[in-house]
Amino acid sequence: MNAAQTPAEHLDVVIVGAGLSGIGAAYRLQTEQPGRSYAVLEARDALGGTWDLFRYPGIRSDSDMFTLGYPFKPWRDAKSIADGPSILRYITETAAENGIDRNIRFGTKVLAAEWNSGESRWTLTLEQRTGDRVERRVLTCGFLYSCSGYYNYDQGHNPVFPGIDDFTGTVVHPQFWPEDLDYAGKRVVVIGSGATAVTLVPAMAEQAELVTMLQRSPTWISAVPGRDKVADRMRELLPADLAHRLIRTKNILFNIGFYQYCRRRPEAAKKLLTGLTTRILKDEALVAEHFTPDYDPWDQRLCAVPNADFFKAMRKGKAEVVTDHIETFVPEGIRLKSGTVIEADVVVTATGLQLLAFGGIDLVVDGTPVALSEQFVWQGAMLTGVPNFAVCIGYTNASWTLRADLTSRLVCKVLGYMERNGYTAVVPEPERALRERPLLDLASGYVQRSIGDFPRQGDRTPWTVRQNYLLDTATVMRTDLSKTLRPVAAAELQRV
C-alpha cells in the first residue's frame, strides 16, 4: 500500500525542526494550549539543530545564555558565552524534562505542504528515513509551524576559488567538519571574518603552528567577558528562577542599549570599539588596518569574542590577520592580489551560510504554489496568503530565542483565538497596501545573497519585523487579532 492509499494521520499542530526554537515551541504549545495533539518533525537523527550540526573546534554561542536560553529554564552553567556541547545538553535536558522528546519524529523531512481551505487542513508530504530505508508518507494537520531556521543544513556557501584543485593541502568547510582532521603543528588559513572565523582561530591556534585569518575587509569584533560576575553573584544570593529572570532582564536592557548607542552614535561607537581593541593588542596601526571596518557597527552583526581569546592568540604569535583578496590557490597555499603567498597545510572556508526559507518546504494553497517573495510577514510570525501557518524568525541584533519564544507564545494566542471564535482557519490580511522592505535588514553577504527569496516586511506595524524586544513584549501579545487576522471561509484566498 503506498502513501496515497494509506489513511493519513491527523494532528492539531505540526512543528518543523527540533532545534532550540522547535523545542521551545513545543514547550509553549503543551503548556499554553494543553490537550492539542502535536508532533515535532526533525529531518536529522538528533535534536539540537545548529548545536548538533556544527562540530568545528570552539563552536559556541555569540549571545549570552541568559537570553539565548529559555525564559522557563534557568541557565545554570558557569559560562555566560557557552560552548556548543553545553548548549546541546541544555536543549536535550529541556526536551526530556518536559516530555517533548516523546513527540519528536526523527529522520522525517517535510518536502511539501498543501493547504486545502475546504477541509481547513494541511497535507504534508514527508520523506521518512529508517536506517537505509527511505519512504514517502502523508500527514495532515490543522496548523503548521516552521521552526527550521533560515539556512540550508545540507549546503554551506562555497564561493568558487580559482586554482583550488591545485592546492595540495586539505580544504574543509566548518558546516561539515571532519572528525579525523589533524591540524596539530600545521599551518592553517581560515578564510572569512565572521562569527565562525573568529571562533575557529583561537580554538585551532591551541594546536596549530600558526592560524591566519584571511579577510577581504575587516569586521567589527568586540571582546566580552566569558563569565558574568554580576550574574554569578545573583545566582549565589537568589533562588535560581528569580536570579535567571533578573539576569535575563539586565542583559536584555544592556544589549538593547548598546545596539541603540551604536545605531544613533556610530562614530562614538567606532571609537569605543577600536579603543578597546587597541588596548588589548597595543598596536594602533594593526587595529586601523585589520579591525576598523568601513561600515557602521551593527550594519552587520557584531562578532563577540569571550575573554578576548581571539586577540590573545594574536598576541601570543599563534594567530594573525591578513586583509587582502585571493588571486588564486597554488599548490603550497594561497596567492593574494598583493603577490604574497600564504603557505597552508589546511584551509578552512568559513565563507558563510546558504540561506533557505523555512527548510525549503514547497507551500501550496488551494492548488496554487506560494511565491514567498510576494508575501508579507505579520507580527514577524505569519504570512499573508498562507492560512494557519507560522514561521520562527529570531532577532538579528540580539539573542535568537528572545523573538522565537515570543513568536511561539503568539502562535498559542492565535490558536486560542481561533478556538474561542469557532474559526478553523485564519490568515493575515492588511487593510491597505503595504510598501515592502527586506525581511532581514542586514548588509551581511550571506543575507544579501538570498534575501530576495524570502517574504517581505511592510512599512508599518504589525507588518514590520522590529529589532526591539522591549517594544515587541509590550505590544505583540496585546495585539487585537480581529483587526488583521481574517477567518478563512472560502477556498479562494485574496492575495496581497
Side-chain angles (χ1 to χ4, degrees), residues 187-214:
R187 296 161 301 179
V188 178
V189 174
V190 177
I191 302 174
S193 59
T196 301
V198 300
T199 298
L200 277 164
V201 169
M204 298 186 77
E206 294 178 4
Q207 297 182 36
E209 176 186 330
L210 177 68
V211 181
T212 301
M213 187 174 85
L214 174 58

Side-chain angles (χ1 to χ4, degrees), residues 44-192:
R44 304 176 71 246
D45 295 323
L47 60 76
T50 294
W51 303 108
D52 179 69
L53 174 69
F54 286 94
R55 304 292 180 91
Y56 60 79
I59 173 68
R60 65 194 179 200
S61 66
D62 63 351
S63 300
D64 72 275
M65 285 306 300
F66 299 103
T67 57
L68 187 65
Y70 302 116
F72 50 82
K73 180 175 171 60
W75 175 252
R76 300 182 187 277
D77 285 16
K79 292 181 179 179
S80 176
I81 303 294
D83 59 85
S86 298
I87 300 172
L88 182 58
R89 283 196 302 273
Y90 174 80
I91 300 170
T92 303
E93 286 177 4
T94 304
E97 289 169 359
N98 296 282
I100 297 166
D101 52 353
R102 296 192 294 268
N103 291 296
I104 303 174
R105 303 183 186 184
F106 294 107
T108 305
K109 183 176 183 179
V110 182
L111 301 177
E114 183 167 354
W115 171 262
N116 185 303
S117 292
E119 298 178 354
S120 290
R121 64 175 53 189
W122 287 99
T123 298
L124 310 181
T125 301
L126 312 177
E127 181 180 84
Q128 193 167 53
R129 288 182 294 101
T130 307
D132 295 331
R133 184 181 179 186
V134 179
E135 58 183 335
R136 294 285 180 95
R137 291 185 179 273
V138 170
L139 173 69
T140 65
C141 64
F143 198 99
L144 182 60
Y145 185 16
S146 174
C147 295
S148 53
Y150 61 87
Y151 70 89
N152 191 332
Y153 274 41
D154 299 323
Q155 181 180 346
H157 175 60
N158 284 302
V160 177
F161 293 112
I164 195 167
D165 293 335
D166 298 329
F167 178 54
T168 57
T170 302
V171 179
V172 298
H173 192 286
Q175 193 165 327
F176 309 101
W177 196 266
E179 293 182 7
D180 59 351
L181 180 65
D182 179 16
Y183 55 87
K186 296 183 178 180
R187 296 161 301 179
V188 178
V189 174
V190 177
I191 302 174

Side-chain angles (χ1 to χ4, degrees), residues 232-482:
D232 289 345
R233 187 62 175 157
M234 286 184 179
R235 290 193 288 186
E236 286 177 6
L237 299 174
L238 301 172
D241 288 346
L242 176 59
H244 184 69
R245 288 198 299 272
L246 292 175
I247 298 164
R248 185 179 174 87
T249 300
K250 170 184 76 71
N251 290 359
I252 288 170
L253 292 173
F254 175 82
N255 292 333
I256 290 176
F258 183 67
Y259 174 79
Q260 293 296 333
Y261 174 75
C262 289
R263 302 311 286 164
R264 296 181 182 186
R265 301 188 61 190
E267 294 306 316
K270 289 178 183 179
K271 186 176 180 180
L272 173 65
L273 291 169
T274 54
L276 290 172
T277 304
T278 301
R279 189 183 308 169
I280 298 168
L281 292 177
K282 303 186 186 307
D283 189 330
E284 289 188 14
L286 182 69
V287 173
E289 181 177 2
H290 301 301
F291 299 105
T292 307
D294 59 5
Y295 61 88
D296 291 340
W298 278 111
D299 280 353
Q300 299 181 26
R301 192 174 175 95
L302 193 73
C303 289
V305 290
N307 298 320
D309 60 1
F310 177 87
F311 300 123
K312 289 177 180 178
M314 293 183 64
R315 290 185 62 182
K316 291 177 182 178
K318 297 288 289 181
E320 65 177 3
V321 176
V322 174
T323 304
D324 205 333
H325 287 69
I326 295 173
E327 182 177 280
T328 184
F329 274 68
V330 292
E332 66 273 23
I334 300 173
R335 185 168 68 234
L336 308 176
K337 288 191 175 180
S338 63
T340 301
V341 173
I342 305 177
E343 295 185 355
D345 303 299
V346 178
V347 172
V348 183
T349 55
T351 47
L353 305 169
Q354 187 72 41
L355 295 193
L356 181 67
F358 319 136
I361 300 173
D362 290 327
L363 296 175
V364 176
V365 173
D366 293 328
T368 302
V370 176
L372 289 177
S373 62
E374 297 177 5
Q375 308 307 323
F376 286 88
V377 177
W378 171 85
Q379 296 284 12
M382 295 181 70
L383 304 185
T384 54
V386 188
N388 287 22
F389 177 72
V391 296
C392 188
I393 305 167
Y395 289 114
T396 58
N397 70 337
S399 293
W400 176 273
T401 316
L402 292 176
R403 177 183 279 280
D405 183 65
L406 192 59
T407 297
S408 295
R409 291 171 56 205
L410 178 62
V411 167
C412 291
K413 178 177 179 176
V414 170
L415 290 170
Y417 168 77
M418 290 167 60
E419 184 176 31
R420 288 192 305 274
N421 289 278
Y423 300 150
T424 57
V426 292
V427 65
E429 189 172 278
E431 68 283 4
R432 64 183 189 277
L434 296 166
R435 186 170 71 248
E436 68 179 47
R437 294 167 49 203
L439 180 63
L440 301 177
D441 241 349
L442 280 180
S444 305
Y446 77 96
V447 172
Q448 294 303 313
R449 282 191 296 269
S450 305
I451 196 62
D453 297 331
F454 282 69
R456 305 291 193 253
Q457 60 173 312
D459 56 342
R460 61 184 184 274
T461 57
W463 307 97
T464 55
V465 181
R466 291 183 301 201
Q467 298 297 321
N468 191 311
Y469 180 67
L470 292 182
L471 286 177
D472 284 341
T473 52
T475 59
V476 169
M477 294 304 294
R478 297 177 182 176
T479 187
D480 185 349
L481 301 181
S482 65

